[in-house]
Amino acid sequence: MTNKPDCILLTSLRATPTARLHAEFNVLVAPTAPAERLAFIKAHPDTRFVAASGGWVPAEVFQALPKLEIVSCFGVGYDGVDIPAAKAANVPVTNTPDVLNDCVADTTMGMVLGAMRKFPQADRFVRDGSWLKGGQALTTSVHHKKMGIAGLGRIGKTIAKRAQGFDMEIGYYGRSKQADVPFKYFADIADMAAWCDVLVVITPGGAATRNMIDARVLKALGPKGYLVNISRGSVVDEPALIEALKTGAIAGAGLDVFADEPRVPEALLALDNVVVAPHVGSATNETRDAMGNLVVDNLIAVKNGKKPLTPVY
Ligand code: 8YV
């Protein structure tokens, strides 16, 4: 028997946070298939602590665990967490903000450079011997271009800082104009799309932003415009994007996220004006350690009778 309280683990953590979790809790590793997960959770109804990913915490979890004291989520996004159910059950939900800002901003610039300067295509060009027959087609400069950021939150501001290093002009779209922000504000995303050379999407996912980037916005972005999505696949109308890339309605895209991950439509992969990555915005050893440690810090705080460190509401 152990004196440590149970903690159901619904996400994967790296070695250091895992060791810290085991030092404080009796860790119950849940199966990954949703149906099996729910059965597993229901089989441990006295559990007070849950470590999850922000991608999957349905209402049933809150209903199945009446003694729950915290759901500590790995990741800044929590669009898969049923927040009304959490509030109804009076359970705090935490995420891992800030510790990933720099990493996601670095990834964004990588996707901007990849999409506009076509570095992944350049790599293929050298490897497949195409260079022996002539040079790669010229690409588009990034420096001194206009970047429109949809969602100027903490990560969006870190991206803007990077883009300023590239002498880019910055605009942003959001619900309201922010005080003390020197960038050009757009109240309509299509207006920003028409203005910018590269549209960077870094809004939260969920119902409020579903298909925010639709055919109208893509048309406004235009045949010289690029889209970079680093937030959630749900924010972009994927069939409309495929059509825009196919017909040249936009110039290209850099996509780290997709509507139905890890499945990426063949029609998208068939296109040479799109650069893809497997949702790696925060995927470095250092950042994933920091995120995992914050997941554990939140659990320990609540276990010790303190307030959670980074609650989402
Ligand atoms: C994580 C992310 O990979 O933080 C987020 O919201 O999308 C990524 O940093 C993801 O949440 C892991 O579950």
Side-chain angles (χ1 to χ4, degrees):
M1 278 301 282
T2 166
N3 290 324
K4 296 180 213 167
D6 288 346
C7 175
I8 295 179
L9 184 62
L10 299 172
T11 187
S12 61
L13 301 173
R14 282 169 49 79
T16 302
T18 300
R20 291 185 59 218
L21 191 67
H22 281 269
E24 297 273 343
F25 297 93
N26 177 42
V27 181
L28 306 171
V29 181
T32 48
E36 288 171 39
R37 272 190 166 186
L38 272 179
F40 182 88
I41 290 164
K42 284 177 185 163
H44 298 91
D46 292 334
T47 306
R48 293 155 50 209
F49 303 94
V50 167
S53 108
W56 187 87
V57 189
E60 288 95 319
V61 173
F62 298 97
Q63 287 149 11
L65 305 175
K67 296 184 181 165
L68 192 57
E69 292 180 27
I70 178 174
V71 171
S72 178
C73 294
F74 180 84
V76 69
Y78 51 90
D79 42 306
V81 182
D82 193 321
I83 296 295
K87 284 183 177 168
N90 205 18
V91 174
V93 173
T94 58
N95 65 345
T96 59
D98 292 323
V99 292
L100 43 57
N101 296 351
D102 284 314
C103 202
V104 177
D106 291 352
T107 307
T108 303
M109 291 314 293
M111 296 306 279
V112 169
L113 290 164
M116 296 177 75
R117 295 295 311 275
K118 297 193 177 351
F119 290 125
Q121 293 90 327
D123 180 276
R124 291 199 291 273
F125 193 85
V126 175
R127 287 174 198 273
D128 72 12
S130 297
W131 195 13
L132 298 170
K133 295 172 235 148
Q136 186 190 5
L138 300 181
T139 61
T140 304
S141 291
V142 170
H143 60 88
H144 292 103
K145 291 288 168 65
K146 297 189 183 90
M147 176 186 281
I149 302 176
L152 195 72
R154 289 174 279 207
I155 301 175
K157 285 181 178 136
T158 312
I159 295 168
K161 199 166 124 192
R162 302 279 185 285
Q164 285 178 302
F166 281 78
D167 295 318
M168 298 182 87
E169 200 180 328
I170 317 287
Y172 70 104
Y173 161 78
R175 273 172 308 204
S176 46
K177 187 170 168 23
Q178 299 186 37
D180 304 326
V181 165
F183 314 130
K184 193 174 166 63
Y185 173 66
F186 293 87
D188 183 330
I189 185 141
D191 289 344
M192 184 172 79
W195 169 83
C196 68
D197 299 293
V198 54
L199 173 55
V200 170
V201 182
I202 185 65
T203 55
T209 56
R210 188 168 303 282
N211 289 342
M212 188 176 92
I213 307 298
D214 57 8
R216 176 185 85 106
V217 175
L218 294 167
K219 186 162 182 264
L221 186 57
K224 289 189 170 172
Y226 291 81
L227 175 76
V228 168
N229 187 9
I230 202 84
S231 70
R232 286 292 179 268
S234 60
V235 183
V236 175
D237 178 342
E238 212 166 67
L241 173 62
I242 293 169
E243 189 58 21
L245 286 163
K246 243 190 213 166
T247 59
I250 69 169
L255 307 172
D256 185 46
V257 288
F258 304 88
D260 183 28
E261 295 170 13
R263 283 157 291 275
V264 179
E266 281 300 324
L268 199 53
L269 297 180
L271 299 168
D272 200 45
N273 55 352
V274 57
V275 167
V276 292
H279 198 145
V280 292
S282 66
T284 64
N285 295 323
E286 296 88 341
T287 300
R288 289 291 169 84
D289 269 345
M291 291 163 68
N293 281 328
L294 188 47
V295 167
V296 178
D297 290 343
N298 272 300
L299 291 163
I300 292 175
V302 172
K303 182 189 166 202
N304 291 340
K306 299 198 182 107
K307 286 195 171 134
L309 308 173
T310 50
V312 304
Y313 64 84

